[in-house]
Amino acid sequence: MHNRKIFKRSLSFALSLSLALTSAYLVSADQQAAVSASSEAAHDPDRDVQAEGVGNPFNYGERNTPENGSDEEIRAINHAMTVQEVKYCMYKEIDEHWDLIKVRFGQDNREMVYALFLGLGTRESTLGGNGDGADIETAHSEGFGVSSAHAYGTMQTAVTAFKDCNPTFMKEDDVPEMFQYSLTHANFYDAVISNHMGIRKLMHFVRSAIVDYELEGYQVVRGALKAFNTGWANYTGEDDGYYKNYPDEIIALARWYYEEGHLYDNVFTWTNDERVNEYRQGNVWDWWGDGVPSLAEIQPSSPSDPPSPNEITKGDTDENGMVDITDLSVLSIYLLEGQNLSGNGLKAADVNADGSVTLSDLARLRQYLSKKTDKL
């Protein structure tokens, strides 16, 4: 059912059931404009971000797109993301793997780590501010997965990060703490999975910086970022352009986001932006500090287990254990075409618990996903 091209712009569902999924959260054009103009954080301002993270206010799941969607459908969803959504999409994965990241980086300031990944996203793709959301692809002219440089997403995660890629590529299979997705179109082009694999890739190079090249302090993260771009975490000298043009630029961009207060809004910068010049002076890593990156053991993690057969989550029409835009698409197709839903899926579709599945349930689910209500 996900093979139909159902991701089109929404019309008023009071007049028609022709729903669209051009935005990952199906907000109206007016709502989308309001979000784009927002300078406010999307998460609860009362949260202790350092201790709890931002709390996934856009309800990202383990995927951002339908697993059985076409490349076009998947990329259209990523393309519609605002800068703010792109930022929070990265934060969701950082928060899920925070225990690992803070130990490997030697950095316990979560917002500084957010900023570093914003710097990486900016250096690679201008963080969605070019109007493409997370839908950026490079080095693909030879075909899917042929080139080791073939990359996608906010961090430009290369195919080398994925399991089952070309066996001649250098292995990146030494991060057991994070699940390694197989190289498929649906995985490669999904914004959430791309971020997950980008973080995993950087953790691989942190290990290499420590084990293979015995780097210490901030040089571990600096070397890992260099390797993210070149494949090698070795230290090659302070005058090497590899540093100035990539890891040192990333940390300068990161400091701009952090110091200027743009972690959570729709504001972005870009490589060589003159507004960042003051943060490019001297040792740009002084700001980051010189913690102690470590390879200490971390409890392995994996994608969430599916719900038990008898467990019903209201709104979870596709029964994958989370409520996201795919559930809205399933429900809209059911109402449009009478597409079958399983017993539990049908029960989950009765969002307002009135004993029947109607437009009212569709409206309620849409409101929840577009943040008009926080309850189903």
Side-chain angles (χ1 to χ4, degrees):
M1 60 184 148
H2 293 304
N3 289 332
R4 294 179 176 84
K5 294 187 177 180
I6 59 175
F7 298 95
K8 302 175 183 177
R9 181 163 297 279
S10 174
L11 298 176
S12 172
F13 55 81
L15 300 175
S16 168
L17 281 175
S18 178
L19 245 78
L21 305 180
T22 45
S23 163
Y25 297 94
L26 292 188
V27 294
S28 68
D30 289 342
Q31 289 170 316
Q32 186 71 23
V35 170
S36 297
S38 173
S39 61
E40 298 180 357
H43 63 274
D44 182 350
D46 293 329
R47 289 185 68 87
D48 182 349
V49 172
Q50 294 295 349
E52 304 174 279
V54 293
N56 194 17
F58 289 102
N59 292 318
Y60 292 110
E62 296 302 330
R63 308 185 60 88
N64 190 46
T65 58
E67 188 171 6
N68 296 322
S70 67
D71 290 358
E72 292 77 14
E73 290 169 340
I74 290 170
R75 296 187 64 171
I77 294 172
N78 298 335
H79 195 86
M81 295 172 72
T82 66
V83 171
Q84 187 181 52
E85 289 169 340
V86 169
K87 290 178 180 180
Y88 278 91
C89 189
M90 286 202 298
Y91 300 161
K92 179 259 184 186
E93 287 299 316
I94 294 169
D95 288 344
E96 284 194 6
H97 302 286
W98 175 240
D99 288 344
L100 173 68
I101 295 169
K102 70 178 180 181
V103 170
R104 294 292 181 265
F105 278 1
Q107 177 60 264
D108 60 6
N109 185 318
R110 196 186 301 245
E111 289 191 315
M112 289 180 72
V113 172
Y114 286 170
L116 181 131
F117 278 98
L118 293 186
L120 175 56
T122 298
R123 179 63 182 83
E124 287 289 4
S125 64
T126 317
L127 203 68
N130 48 18
D132 290 318
D135 181 38
I136 305 291
E137 183 177 21
T138 56
H140 56 286
S141 60
E142 298 175 62
F144 182 82
V146 174
S147 168
S148 62
H150 183 196
Y152 186 78
T154 304
M155 286 183 262
Q156 285 294 278
T157 303
V159 297
T160 54
F162 290 81
K163 185 169 63 175
D164 306 322
C165 65
N166 187 322
T168 66
F169 296 160
M170 294 177 66
K171 302 297 183 185
E172 299 179 13
D173 54 4
D174 57 354
V175 189
E177 301 86 358
M178 294 181 68
F179 184 80
Q180 187 176 25
Y181 288 89
S182 292
L183 180 61
T184 67
H185 285 248
N187 288 342
F188 183 74
Y189 289 117
D190 184 272
V192 170
I193 292 177
S194 178
N195 286 338
H196 174 97
M197 295 303 288
I199 293 172
R200 191 182 187 283
K201 184 180 185 72
L202 196 55
M203 296 302 101
H204 159 73
F205 285 121
V206 165
R207 179 177 292 275
S208 177
I210 295 173
V211 174
D212 298 330
Y213 302 110
E214 300 181 344
L215 299 183
E216 298 178 347
Y218 74 85
Q219 293 287 5
V220 170
V221 181
R222 191 184 189 209
L225 287 170
K226 169 180 170 286
F228 195 97
N229 185 43
T230 67
W232 305 98
N234 58 317
Y235 180 74
T236 55
E238 284 306 304
D239 294 329
D240 196 318
Y242 284 133
Y243 293 104
K244 178 181 179 181
N245 296 328
Y246 201 80
D248 291 355
E249 176 68 4
I250 286 170
I251 201 64
L253 295 167
R255 188 177 180 186
W256 182 88
Y257 284 107
Y258 185 85
E259 300 283 0
E260 302 295 329
H262 295 307
L263 293 181
Y264 304 119
D265 55 21
N266 269 287
V267 178
F268 65 97
T269 185
W270 49 87
T271 305
N272 297 324
D273 181 1
E274 292 184 357
R275 293 178 299 170
V276 185
N277 279 348
E278 66 178 292
Y279 302 121
R280 296 188 178 103
Q281 308 305 312
N283 182 356
V284 292
W285 287 88
D286 281 345
W287 163 76
W288 177 259
D290 202 7
V292 183
S294 170
L295 297 179
E297 183 176 354
I298 305 294
Q299 183 66 33
S301 62
S302 62
S304 301
D305 293 329
S308 65
N310 296 322
E311 183 180 346
I312 298 173
T313 300
K314 188 184 294 186
D316 182 21
T317 59
D318 64 359
E319 301 179 72
N320 70 346
M322 57 191 175
V323 180
D324 55 24
I325 59 168
T326 304
D327 299 299
L328 192 62
S329 72
V330 170
L331 181 52
S332 66
I333 291 176
Y334 169 77
L335 292 169
L336 272 168
E337 304 177 9
Q339 187 82 33
N340 289 335
L341 284 174
S342 71
N344 284 349
L346 191 60
K347 291 177 182 177
D350 183 15
V351 177
N352 62 11
D354 66 355
S356 60
V357 179
T358 66
L359 280 172
S360 297
D361 299 297
L362 188 69
R364 183 72 177 178
L365 183 56
R366 185 174 186 270
Q367 288 176 333
Y368 174 75
L369 291 172
S370 61
K371 295 299 184 181
K372 280 191 167 184
T373 181
D374 59 0
K375 293 182 180 180
L376 279 177

